[in-house]
Amino acid sequence: MRHALVFGATGQIGFPLLGLLRNDGWRVTALSRSEQSDEPGLEWLRGELPTAKGLPARVDAIFSCGPLDGFASWYAKAPIETSRVIAFGSTSVDVKRGSADAAERDVARRLREGEELVFATAAQRGATATLLRPTLIYGAGRDATLTRIAQLASRWGRFPLPRGATGLRQPVHADDLAAAAFACASTAATQGNTYALPGGETLTYRDMVARVLASLTPPPTLIELPSPMFNAALFLAQLTGRATGLGEAAVRRMRSDLTFDIGPAQRDFGYAPRAFRPRAQMFQPRSDES
């Protein structure tokens, strides 16, 4: 029986990945910060990187579905033996590299350094690694973009956007990302490679937000404001703490195309993500998440 070690197992990607592995007959050891109940074929360990205790000495594959930089640092020092590593990063490694926001540039730097460290460590140990870079994640109520938009719009009954928010996006469902990681584990062609994982549909930022709002009950109103008016509204929202995490760089990206080539993932492991058809429950966290 193959044995997998899964980090980020209670998260939006890790949780559906557990089901895929168990259904395929894998024995799974998973790490959680909170107490979880063991099930047949699934052992939970309580802790977090880098200080987690009781981890197995050897597994057939490691899946990292949490922060890449923390996993990379742990993997470089951990004595664990494995022949296969699949880790999630983000397309932010490219998108935010040239950002005017220093904090965003730091995110891109840490992602790139994490990727490089995972590949280097795997090579030193005779293992193979695959790095996966999702775009905008949705579907489990845990993301910081679309779920945040849904929450704010539901609270306000409306949601403002600057006019011209026509930059292209490819939102990707968390379940499709879990399926991608699962497929990579048994596909030799993915070894040593990095893949962008966009969703199955390309649409404008405005249309993406409009679909999110239309999925809610009652559907909030989308309001498009001239840039000066939107900037003033955003400034007031930031002052009152209602727009934390939404800076000038993020607003400028609403007008920029952030699209990625799905071709390599389709070719190498049959990646086939769904079109963007949001439903209200996709923006609500599972009741059992911790």
Side-chain angles (χ1 to χ4, degrees), residues 222-234:
L222 177 61
I223 301 174
E224 296 181 87
L225 302 174
S227 290
M229 187 178 299
F230 179 84
N231 292 337
L234 178 61

Side-chain angles (χ1 to χ4, degrees), residues 8-21 23 63 65 88 132 134-143 171-184 197-200 269-277 279 281-286 288-289:
T10 57
Q12 56 185 338
I13 303 172
F15 187 79
L17 177 60
L18 292 183
L20 294 173
L21 291 168
N23 288 340
F63 296 86
C65 305
F88 280 91
L132 304 176
T135 54
L136 278 170
I137 305 174
Y138 73 99
R142 296 285 296 274
D143 63 278
V172 60
H173 196 285
D175 287 357
D176 293 331
L177 298 175
F182 176 74
C184 285
L197 296 183
F269 59 92
Y271 181 58
R274 70 198 70 187
F276 185 58
R277 299 290 184 268
R279 301 188 304 276
Q281 58 265 38
M282 294 180 179
F283 307 110
Q284 300 169 359
R286 298 191 320 266
D288 61 334
E289 284 181 324

Side-chain angles (χ1 to χ4, degrees), residues 10-245:
T10 57
Q12 56 185 338
I13 303 172
F15 187 79
L17 177 60
L18 292 183
L20 294 173
L21 291 168
R22 296 177 67 198
N23 288 340
D24 195 46
W26 287 70
R27 172 189 168 202
V28 180
T29 299
L31 188 67
S32 173
R33 288 191 298 269
S34 60
E35 195 73 32
Q36 304 288 331
S37 298
D38 291 349
E39 300 176 30
L42 173 61
E43 177 189 11
W44 286 96
L45 300 176
R46 186 173 182 179
E48 57 185 315
L49 296 179
T51 59
K53 305 295 183 183
L55 296 175
R58 188 191 183 288
V59 294
D60 296 286
I62 298 175
F63 296 86
S64 172
C65 305
L68 179 60
D69 52 351
F71 169 73
S73 297
W74 170 85
Y75 179 46
K77 300 174 183 177
I80 191 167
E81 296 180 22
T82 189
S83 60
R84 197 73 177 94
V85 175
I86 296 100
F88 280 91
S90 170
T91 51
S92 292
V93 69
D94 290 325
V95 169
K96 296 182 178 180
R97 180 169 50 182
S99 173
D101 188 316
E104 290 189 346
R105 293 196 304 274
D106 185 61
V107 168
R109 176 190 60 79
R110 288 188 284 110
L111 284 167
R112 186 166 299 279
E113 291 177 353
E115 289 185 353
E116 292 171 351
L117 184 55
V118 169
F119 278 128
T121 303
Q124 290 171 359
R125 299 181 180 185
T128 58
T130 300
L131 268 294
L132 304 176
R133 297 173 174 175
T135 54
L136 278 170
I137 305 174
Y138 73 99
R142 296 285 296 274
D143 63 278
T145 301
L146 297 184
T147 292
R148 178 67 170 158
I149 288 172
Q151 291 172 340
L152 291 175
S154 293
R155 187 183 310 162
W156 299 339
R158 60 187 62 84
F159 193 81
L161 279 182
R163 287 179 183 167
T166 57
L168 297 179
R169 295 295 186 272
Q170 299 163 306
V172 60
H173 196 285
D175 287 357
D176 293 331
L177 298 175
F182 176 74
C184 285
S186 57
T187 306
T190 65
Q191 297 176 5
N193 291 329
T194 300
Y195 296 94
L197 296 183
E201 183 177 2
T202 301
L203 68 167
T204 67
Y205 196 98
R206 182 209 177 278
D207 289 346
M208 178 180 70
V209 172
R211 289 192 195 179
V212 171
L213 302 190
S215 74
L216 305 176
T217 304
T221 302
L222 177 61
I223 301 174
E224 296 181 87
L225 302 174
S227 290
M229 187 178 299
F230 179 84
N231 292 337
L234 178 61
F235 178 72
L236 290 175
Q238 290 170 334
L239 285 179
T240 57
R242 291 181 293 174
T244 55

